Amino acid sequence: MPADTPGDACLYFVIDSAAQMLLYVGETCRSNKRWKGIHDCKDYIESYQSLHYKYGLKTAVNIAFWWDTPVQTRPRQQLEQALIQKWKSPFNKECWERWGQPFA
């Protein structure tokens, strides 16, 4: 996808393949713009990787995109919330009561 376009609607997943863990679930209507701005999850990933490096633990953090999602915002957000509740991803604020706020 050309970098100068705003991108498409999708869900995205931050995954640590080394730990086999889903860290974050997100949704956007502009996939190319979402990560160029301020996003707390970027800080969490940086802290997560720094601590793993400090203690000699392997990480393999990647972002995966699911393009076959609803284009309309509300249905896409409902799907995002259902996946957050199903997988209890620790970087999503909806799961902080369970895991605590990451790197606060």
Side-chain angles (χ1 to χ4, degrees), residues 7 61 77 103-104:
V61 176
Q77 289 173 339
F103 311 105

Side-chain angles (χ1 to χ4, degrees), residues 7-8 33 42-43 55 76 79 81 90 97:
D8 294 316
K33 299 280 185 186
K42 291 194 296 190
D43 294 333
Y55 292 103
R76 191 176 58 253
L79 180 56
Q81 286 305 308
E97 188 173 310

Side-chain angles (χ1 to χ4, degrees), residues 24-92:
Y24 185 82
V25 178
E27 67 83 25
T28 184
C29 62
R30 301 181 325 162
S31 55
N32 280 354
K33 299 280 185 186
R34 184 65 184 112
W35 283 90
K36 290 182 181 179
I38 296 171
H39 196 305
D40 288 340
C41 190
K42 291 194 296 190
D43 294 333
Y44 303 152
I45 293 167
E46 184 179 337
S47 296
Y48 177 84
Q49 290 181 306
S50 292
L51 280 172
H52 277 71
Y53 179 76
K54 178 179 178 178
Y55 292 103
L57 302 170
K58 185 178 176 185
T59 64
V61 176
N62 297 288
I63 300 175
F65 296 88
W66 182 19
W67 302 106
D68 191 21
T69 59
V71 174
Q72 293 181 327
T73 301
R74 189 71 188 130
R76 191 176 58 253
Q77 289 173 339
Q78 289 171 333
L79 180 56
E80 172 197 31
Q81 286 305 308
L83 295 175
I84 290 168
Q85 295 308 314
K86 177 180 174 118
W87 292 321
K88 310 280 191 259
S89 41
F91 290 1
N92 286 97

